Structure formats: structure tokens, C-alpha cells
Amino acid sequence: MSDKKKSPAKKSLISWIVEFAGEKKGQYIVSVFFALLSVACCIAPYFMIARIVRQLLAGVRDWNLFLRECGITAAFWLGNVIFHAISTSMSHIATFNLLGNIRKKMCDKLTRVPLGTVLDMPSGSLKSIMIERIDSMETTLAHIVPEYTSNIILSVALLVYLFLIDWRLALACLAVVPVGFAAMCFMFKDAAPRFKFALDKTKVLNDTAVEYINGIEVIKAFGKSKSSYERFVIAAKEGSDCYVEWMRDCIWPFAFAIIITPSLILSLLPIGGIMFLHGSVEPSVFITMIIMALSAIQPLMISYTYHDDIAKAGAIFGEVGSIMNLPELERPASDLKKPADNSIVLKDVKFSYHKVGEDSPSLQPASQSYATPSAGDTPATPPHSCEILHGINMTLPQGSYTAFVGPSGSGKSTIARLIASLWDVDSGSIEIGGVNIKNLSLEEYNSRVAYVSQDNFLFDLSVRENIRLGRQNATDKEVEEIARKAGCYDFIMSLEKGFDTIVGGSGAHLSGGERQRIAIARAMMKNAPIVILDEATAYTDPENEAIIQKSVAQLVKDKTLIVIAHRLSTVKDADKLYVIKDGVIDSSGTHEELLAKGGLYKKMWEAHIGSRDE
């Protein structure tokens, strides 16, 4: 993304609204127009009252005239209600469309951000921003755009009118405004950092709650309920305390400002009274100013009540902007060159993670944001900038079966994820069929690669629909046939509703092994020419592992296969094994060749056989 792109911190609330309103911008404009009519109708009765008072002072006693003018006043009040309803309805429709556009654009943005970046963003924070925080702006935006705008405009117009009546009395009305404004400034002192601090604490609470709920089984199994729940209690207390302390500091200046600022007659009455006694102002003018000063209270009050909401909306839009400005994968809209085949070549590939900050436990690629390496590939104590891969060179011919093995944290999963385009390399290149993957569109690349990890996500849909995600136009018959080939047809049919069984959020109603078998069926349905299996049998028992191995053989027939495995016996038949150690290739060759060489692979094999026999 361009460095010249406007920072979210520098964009005004109106800029965000214009950016996301889309085709509903016109509705906002119309809603402002009707809001102006509504506020005008709200103020107009004061003009009518002032007119009636002036007529009474002038000795007019035409009661039919007064009755007609009272009827006009009532019509203005009715117009206020009708125009306000129309304005609010239109602004709410536009706002719901705006919020929908925000979510759509955020989701679209996340599809262009490296997948590893998305996976490693705390789910609680993402959910909080995309659901609760965006939802919380609905009332604010639906009322700010028409009501705040119209009330400010008419307040200015009313002020001009007061000066036209008598500039001296108009200045007398405004004498209290600087006092109220000073109180408001004191209230809003440090508002931005305070609100950001409150948002951060709320994020921590969301993340802690999600972590606690997801880990409740482990917490109970190991008797850590007290310590784990204590973390949640602390996060909840800190989340509430920051708001309570903020409100406690603001309550008195806010109360003073909200009372003193709209009280224009507080200064008008004594100053105007003195002027009246000295004969420098006519009674009708003085009374008109008093009545019109009272009419200015409502728009001023409404305008002031939105200042806090505007600050909050701006902070939330800043969070949205932080996601919208995440670095994207460097990919063209269409392929610059078509790959000759499905071979894979890595040339001097280097890749780094770096620490986000001293207080942050997460890691991210040095060239990206918010990304964390897999648990198996992350060093226990990474430095501030941690290079994981140090110049990887390898060639994987089309239709070959290649396995990556090595100690935990060696970098083998990182290599696979770079090939799967979860991140971009820092330097060097990855080529498919002689074409750098950065020159392939995401659509083309995704159609060529099927990636199956040990932590496969299933949507809260039926088994059938989860498998169909591999190819959305697949028929029910094709789904069931793929399930047979994947070796999961029998267990699916044993479920309560067979293929129509809902798997639950993240596949919670199924075991880890069952989820993996469905994920493999989904990958088979995709029928991609390149298949990457990252610990795809990690959660399976030996009996089901044999079934999965058989289904994998069906899946990878005539395809380029990459397998990452800790159980060496599952990959000993690979065409070539790469032994990865500390981010470099320690050795490579067939199973027999590596045993003959001795070294790290032989030690790992002997340890594996020994533990299996034991």
C-alpha cells in the first residue's frame, strides 16, 4: 500500500462517512435537508410567540388573528415532528448501509491481507471491532449527520438574526458562552488518549474472555479455574474502572457546562434590564430577544450532547482504519504470466518475524503487521527482529511427493506457509511453473493450492456445506462421492442427521480427527494441482491415520504434494525429504539416502522407531 495513503488519524469523521456511505450519500444529504426543516419548525413557534407579544404590547386585540397565529404555531410543531421522523428514517437507512459497507470492505480487505496476519490477530479484538464497535456507531451516525449538522447551521443563523435585532443584546446573550466553553474544554482534556486507553482495556477484556471460554476444558482439567478466572476478573475490573474514573473526572465540568452554556438569558436579563431602564432599548425588542434567546437553547443543547459521541466515533473509525491500512499481499489483479506447470522452486528465501513491542507477546513478519508464526516454528525467546529462514533453496518437481521434517521450531511449517502464500517472503522468491508467485493473481494462485493444516476451521454449517466450500457448485452426489474417497462417508452417516448434521462453531460437535477428515474431503473437492498437508494427521489415532493416508493417496494422485510431519513413518515413502534445522536445510534425499548419511535424520528416525516400539 502506498505510503502516501492518508493516515486514519488524519481523516475527519465526515471523510470516513463519505468514504463508506457509497450510494447512500444522497440520502444523508436529503436527511440533513429535512432535519433543517425540522429544526426550523422547532424555532419558528418562538418567532410566532414574539410576534404575538409585540402585537399585544402594541394594543392589538384581534382574537381571531391571535387564534390563527396560534394555529400556525401548532402547525410548526406538527411539522417539526413530521420532518424529524422523515429525516431520522432516511439517516438510519443510510447509516445501516454505511455500517454494512464498512463490514464488507473490512472483510474484503482481510482477503487481500496475508492469511497469517489475519489468523494471528486476536479474534476477540477483531470481533469487537467488526461487531460491537461498529454497531455502537449506528445511533451516533444516524443522528449526528442530520441533527448535529442542522442544529449547528440554524444556531449560527439564529445568532446572526439576534445581531440583526440588536447587536448589544446579542453580545449580552453570548457572555456566558466562553464560561461554558472553558468548562467543556476542561472536560474534553485528554479525551482522545483516555478513550483509546478505555478501548485498549476493552480489547484486553474481550481477548481474555475468548481465551477463557476457549480454554475452559483445559482450565477445569488442570484445576486452574481460580488463577485463570482471576485474570478475567482483573481484566473486567480494569475495563470498568477506566470508564468510571474517566466519568468521575468529567462529571462536574460536564454538569457545569451543560447548565451554563445554553442559559443565554442568564446574562441577557440583567444587562438588557439595565439597558431597558436607561431607555436604550425598546420593550418589544427586549422581549423579542428574551424569547429568541430561549429558542436558541435547544439547538445548542443538542449540538453539545454530540461532542462525546463524535470523539468516540472518530476513535472507532481509527480502529477500522488500522485494519484497512494493513499491508496487503503483493499480487496483480490478473496474471502477468501463466505458469508452465505446477513445479515449485524456492530461491534464497529469507523470512523474519519481529516483536511488535516490549509489552506485546505477539510476533509479526518484519515486512508485515500483526502476524505470528506457528507454535512449532516460533523460537522460545525471539529477539526484537528474528529471522526464521536463512536462504532456503529447493526444487519440487511437478507431481512429486516432498516432505519437510525437523525439530520443533526449525522453520518447516513456515516454509510450507510461505508456499501457501500466507505471507510474502522478505527476500528471495518462490516460483510456480517458472513464474514468481507475486506475478500471479490471488484467484489464480488460490485455485492452484490446497492447504490443510492441523487446526482446520469448520463453519457452523452442515457437514455437506463445509465440504462443498471446496467447490461451491458441487452437487450433493459429488459431495458424498468425495466423502467416500476421503474415507469419512461412514462416520458422517453415523451422525444424527448424516451429511445434514450441523458441526457447530469451529466444528465443535466433532472430534479433532473427524474435523481433519472433513477438511481433507474439502481439499479433495477443490481438486487443486498443489496440495500442502501441514500436520494433517496430528489429531488422529493409528487406525484413522491409516484411513487418512489412504484418502491422501487419492487426493494427491498426479499432484505436487508437500507434507510436514513429526511422525517420520508417515512420510518415509516420500520422493524427497528435506531436513530443516534452525531455518536452513540440514540435508535432503530419500529415506534410505538420509539413513545412510547418518546425522540428524538418522537420530530422529531412531528416536521415532524407539518411541513407537515402546
Side-chain angles (χ1 to χ4, degrees), residues 354-411:
H354 77 270
K355 215 169 187 181
V356 177
E358 291 302 321
D359 299 328
S360 174
S362 60
L363 301 172
Q364 60 183 2
S367 60
Q368 306 286 351
S369 300
Y370 299 111
T372 308
S374 63
D377 288 346
T378 305
T381 310
H384 198 75
S385 181
C386 180
E387 186 172 88
I388 299 297
L389 303 178
H390 317 290
I392 298 294
N393 292 280
M394 59 174 62
T395 300
L396 290 65
Q398 175 172 296
S400 63
Y401 170 15
T402 305
F404 300 156
V405 298
S408 296
S410 60

Side-chain angles (χ1 to χ4, degrees), residues 236-273:
K237 187 176 186 305
E238 290 179 348
S240 64
D241 284 351
C242 61
Y243 282 105
V244 171
E245 291 172 7
W246 186 11
M247 293 302 107
R248 185 183 293 124
D249 291 341
C250 292
I251 188 64
W252 291 112
F254 172 77
F256 183 78
I258 210 70
I259 292 171
I260 199 70
T261 305
S263 302
L264 303 185
I265 61 172
L266 192 65
S267 53
L268 173 62
L269 286 177
I271 297 174

